[in-house]
Amino acid sequence: MKTSDFDYNLPEELIAQHPLTDRSSSRLMVVDRKDGSLEEKIFKDIIDYLNPGDLLVLNDTRVIPARIYGIKEETGINCEILLLKKTNEEDTWECLVKPGRRLHEGNKIIFGDGLLTGEIVNVLDDGNRIIKFTYEGIWEEILDKIGVMPLPPYIHEKLEDKERYQTVYSKYEGSAAAPTAGLHFTKELLSDIKAKGVNIGYVTLHVGLGTFRPVQVDDVTNHVMHTEYCHVPKETADMINETKKNGHRVIAVGTTSVRTLESIGKDDGTISEGAMDTQIFIYPGYKFKIVDALITNFHLPKSTLLMLVSALSSKELMLKAYEKAVEDKFRFFSFGDAMFIK
């Protein structure tokens, strides 16, 4: 299976640069896996495709202002640090750094006129740095003062309201990117969905920047996934098992929810409370254990996310849907339109 099999032509003007005023007014492409039909709706119409007894699973991670700017203590050069993932050591993070060639083990970086100091304690094989931070006060408050929301590299316009890169149900801080399929939901829509008899459960996966890294190998099976922390609480696990037992659907909101459920789910189709660092790579041929349907955005060409959605439907149907989306000028990527694979 070749990476090039998952390529498609996307005009740059279709990459959404800003969120819509009304989250739930995005367009929605409904993909029917049984008959291969494609239907266009508005996102709030998703409620018409959800049945009483179904379970909607949302990722309640919250994006941190993970891009911080400082100066190298020894030379005063400007530095840009992107917090990727908290390590097991206190106040220590795996980070992307710029300029990489000038930042070595033992170097110190000063942020916010001394509000925060970071020391590079290790340089990893992939070039990422492990940085130990020291500060006085509360980490979250300091980060909120000096940090910038880490928008994906394909978004070039400034985001005026930081909350628009958060889901309305975001709760646990730790992501370097938003679980973007969830950006379409409003509190009102979720309330209407609940009132219809659809259950709602939450999992947590802290999204890393590996999400945006292109697949560099020709053979898909040789690609190594980044690790991301994920957790399924007992309440959600119980809801999933009950949903399955009663013959209803588990509908994942976003590829991050899929990766969480399929990482912690068991081969017999059940799931227990659990947490782990997952490296799961889902591509065509994968047998799903938990997820029956998916709400997702439109993903980058040749990306692991396009491979994942192709595994749930088929590569041929996905590329047909993407071709139709380009033809009909859907908005793509993080702030773009949505798809429901039923």
Side-chain angles (χ1 to χ4, degrees):
M1 195 180 308
K2 298 293 183 188
T3 301
S4 56
D5 294 340
F6 299 89
D7 199 7
Y8 67 92
N9 181 49
L10 179 68
E12 194 170 341
E13 64 267 20
L14 296 185
I15 300 172
Q17 292 296 314
H18 52 81
L20 298 180
T21 306
D22 173 10
R23 291 174 182 259
S24 62
S25 65
S26 300
R27 293 161 79 186
L28 175 70
M29 180 179 286
V30 180
V31 179
D32 191 321
R33 286 181 287 166
K34 287 180 183 166
D35 63 15
S37 65
L38 306 174
E39 205 177 356
E40 186 184 328
K41 296 287 183 176
I42 299 299
F43 187 80
K44 60 186 68 167
D45 296 331
I46 191 70
I47 193 168
D48 299 333
Y49 297 89
L50 307 178
N51 304 320
D54 284 344
L55 174 64
L56 207 57
V57 180
L58 309 171
N59 180 7
D60 59 11
T61 188
R62 188 166 172 80
V63 187
I64 58 173
R67 184 170 275 119
I68 53 178
Y69 298 92
I71 58 168
K72 184 177 173 183
E73 186 180 55
E74 296 89 337
T75 62
I77 64 164
N78 292 324
C79 308
E80 179 185 328
I81 309 297
L82 189 60
L83 305 170
L84 292 181
K85 188 170 61 174
K86 202 171 188 308
T87 72
N88 294 327
E89 299 290 323
E90 192 176 356
D91 295 324
T92 303
W93 288 71
E94 181 178 341
C95 306
L96 276 174
V97 304
K98 288 182 185 176
R101 67 187 185 282
R102 308 280 290 276
L103 296 169
H104 309 290
E105 193 172 318
N107 289 160
K108 288 188 176 177
I109 306 163
I110 311 299
F111 306 92
D113 293 328
L115 270 180
L116 182 68
T117 301
E119 180 179 354
I120 299 173
V121 295
N122 195 7
V123 179
L124 302 181
D125 291 341
D126 60 4
N128 290 351
R129 276 30 172 205
I130 302 297
I131 299 181
K132 167 80 172 173
F133 292 98
T134 53
Y135 54 90
E136 287 185 12
I138 299 169
W139 167 256
E140 289 80 10
E141 290 181 0
I142 291 170
L143 209 53
D144 208 43
K145 275 183 190 170
I146 66 173
V148 176
M149 202 57 85
L151 293 179
Y154 47 73
I155 293 178
H156 309 299
E157 293 186 15
K158 189 182 176 190
L159 182 65
E160 297 301 328
D161 178 5
K162 285 197 289 191
E163 281 303 306
R164 292 310 309 275
Y165 196 55
Q166 306 279 13
T167 62
V168 297
Y169 48 81
S170 63
K171 189 173 182 181
Y172 299 107
E173 295 196 327
S175 275
T180 54
L183 295 178
H184 303 284
F185 287 93
T186 62
K187 288 181 178 177
E188 294 75 21
L189 179 56
L190 287 170
S191 179
D192 290 345
I193 287 169
K194 265 189 174 176
K196 188 177 179 179
V198 178
N199 298 306
I200 296 177
Y202 296 91
V203 297
T204 306
L205 180 141
H206 292 320
V207 189
L209 261 288
T211 295
F212 304 109
R213 281 190 182 143
V215 178
Q216 303 282 14
V217 292
D218 292 331
D219 184 340
V220 166
T221 59
N222 290 333
H223 178 67
V224 179
M225 288 291 285
H226 53 288
T227 61
E228 293 169 317
Y229 170 83
C230 64
H231 173 236
V232 175
K234 184 177 187 303
E235 182 184 7
T236 302
D238 291 346
M239 291 169 80
I240 290 168
N241 294 332
E242 189 69 17
T243 302
K244 291 285 192 184
K245 190 175 81 176
N246 294 331
H248 297 294
R249 296 177 300 171
V250 173
I251 301 166
V253 176
T255 56
T256 58
S257 297
V258 174
R259 295 185 73 234
T260 302
L261 296 175
E262 295 297 318
S263 294
I264 296 177
K266 300 170 190 169
D267 289 338
D268 64 1
T270 63
I271 195 167
S272 300
E273 177 185 7
M276 65 184 293
D277 285 329
T278 181
Q279 266 187 296
I280 192 169
F281 182 18
I282 297 174
Y283 54 87
Y286 178 84
K287 302 298 180 196
F288 286 84
K289 300 174 286 194
I290 305 295
V291 175
D292 300 304
L294 170 64
I295 297 168
T296 187
N297 276 20
F298 290 88
H299 304 295
L300 280 76
K302 299 195 280 191
S303 64
T304 59
L305 304 183
L306 181 52
M307 293 170 192
L308 184 153
V309 297
S310 297
L312 187 63
S313 57
S314 73
K315 175 170 66 74
E316 293 72 25
L317 182 54
M318 272 303 99
L319 291 178
K320 174 186 164 187
Y322 273 58
E323 189 179 323
K324 175 75 170 158
V326 169
E327 188 182 303
D328 293 349
K329 293 187 165 37
F330 272 65
R331 301 165 79 244
F332 278 68
F333 305 163
S334 297
F335 289 140
D337 296 316
M339 174 186 284
F340 179 43
I341 304 171
K342 66 171 188 167

